[in-house]
Amino acid sequence: MIRFYNTLSGRLEEFIPLEPGQVKLYTCGPTVYDYAHIGNYRAYVFEDLLKRFLLAKGYRVTHVMNITDVDDKTIRGAREKNLSLAEYTQMYIEAFFEDIDTLKILRADYYPRATEHIPDMVKMIKGLLVKGFAYEKDGSIYFDVSKFPKYGQLSKIKVSELKSGVRIDADEYTKENVHDFALWKKQKEGEPFWETELGRGRPGWHIECSVMSSKYLGETFDIHCGGVDNIFPHHENEIAQSEAYTGKKFVNYWLHCHHLIVDGEKMSKSKGNFYTLRDLISQEIDPLDLRYLLLTTHYRKMLNFTFNGLRQAQATRRRIYDFLYELHHRTFPPGETKEVSQLCQEAKDNFLINLGDDLNISQALTALFELIKKANVLLSQGVIKLQDKQTLHQALLDLDQVLAILPSLEEEPLPVEIIKKIEERQKARAAKNYALADKIRDELLNQGILLEDTKEGVRWKRLKPSI
Ligand code: AMP
Ligand code: ZN
């Protein structure tokens, strides 16, 4: 059984998709007004874990992630840089795709952009006007929250004190401001606009997700994700718009990840503790160490990002690498051991069972590290045979289909100068010139290449710089 915590019901629920074997997933994507920060990537890595887990369980997953390329923030940013909205957002869209590839986040099936769906949004807004859920005021159109009695069901806010007819134009606002929200904003001086049947203007932020999710996934779909900050008002408003328009349930399972904070404080530019992926890479941090760190705190817990945490992630990934390295550089006698295939099967089963329990990542990782621990014992006892090596390697690859944290064993070839140095050292050793041999070894170590002299000859390992 798979179960997830559903924000809508406030409890763990068995996951049963609408169509057997098929999951329809919508995740709120980036607002492309700046480089995404590592808090955003916490949300995207959590969603990637969820998706990879569902794929490992054999589901087909149709995944849609929107790109918000018009809203208050993108308009402000473009104006400050004196660029058109499209030129401005394009830089950050490209950066976003580079970053998700770097973090091994699987691509969604669709990345609809808000600016490419204006007619669809106009259609839904017109429908909401006709059905009496929306009204026009001074050229803008608002959703009338008082007409939707279920408003507040997701975020559990009370709407009893709501003053009917009080409006809010901003895309983002707090729970203290439960008001009618803008579906369509009348053109303001100097802002980009679309000429439509609703007049000149632009959409509010929330309508895009209602429109683009139903366009690509249908009016009712299985899972909708985002960070906890999306619950109110964004997701609350999505439910109101969609359910008022279709009369059907919008989403069956709402999954939200908690925030990432930095050194115990909220991440913010002014505090100087605001990191993009690029900031970390420029500090020689391996992006997969960050991915590991983001993955390993349960998605419903707050994640406190520290450099110490990154160092631990690096050390843990190193353990996996060392194990794989041993496996690949030892010679094994032919044959196989039943114990090894049993261990591998057990690890894979436990891994998926635990992830099926609301993505219990720590228990799932325990299954991985137990496997490595037991296999290391067998390695030291000389029990492992050639076929076992393949079985173990395959088991790790299977688990890594979900985690995507393994370093590549297909090392890049060494540069010619380094190969020459290694040969030079071999000659020095053969000539018993150990001082020179050691000198060359130290030189290489400084360049991140560790040499090991074994019975089978010299081996090299590439060392990642320490954080
Ligand atoms: P935005 O670009 O602000 O619309 O955010 C994109 C996604 O990142 C949303 O799902 C947000 O909920 C999520 N998000 C933003 N800040 C954080 C954070 N500090 N920790 C985790 N998720 C976040
Ligand atoms: Zn959204």
Side-chain angles (χ1 to χ4, degrees), residues 306-323:
T306 61
F307 280 86
N308 198 28
L310 259 185
R311 271 187 284 274
Q312 281 168 20
Q314 184 187 43
T316 314
R317 284 186 60 243
R318 181 92 224 175
R319 268 165 59 203
I320 312 174
Y321 176 79
D322 286 344
F323 172 68

Side-chain angles (χ1 to χ4, degrees), residues 28-33 37-44 47 68 73 172 205 225-230 257-261 267:
C28 284
T31 306
V32 281
Y33 71 105
H37 56 68
I38 57 172
N40 299 128
Y41 287 118
R42 180 188 196 193
Y44 306 145
E47 290 152 1
T68 303
K73 291 187 277 192
E172 288 175 280
W205 170 36
C225 299
V228 285
D229 58 312
N230 282 160
C257 73
H258 213 307
H259 272 159
L260 173 139
I261 53 170
M267 194 165 58

Side-chain angles (χ1 to χ4, degrees), residues 26-29 66 68 205-206 208-209 224-225 230 234-235 238:
Y26 188 87
T27 58
C28 284
N66 65 306
T68 303
W205 170 36
H206 315 292
E208 71 181 79
C209 287
H224 194 315
C225 299
N230 282 160
H234 186 49
H235 290 165
E238 281 186 40

Side-chain angles (χ1 to χ4, degrees), residues 417-418 421 442-450 462-463:
E417 319 84 75
I418 304 264
K421 287 252 176 224
D442 292 346
E443 264 175 44
L444 289 173
L445 194 56
N446 278 335
Q447 295 175 43
I449 307 290
L450 171 73
R462 226 187 261 275
L463 291 183

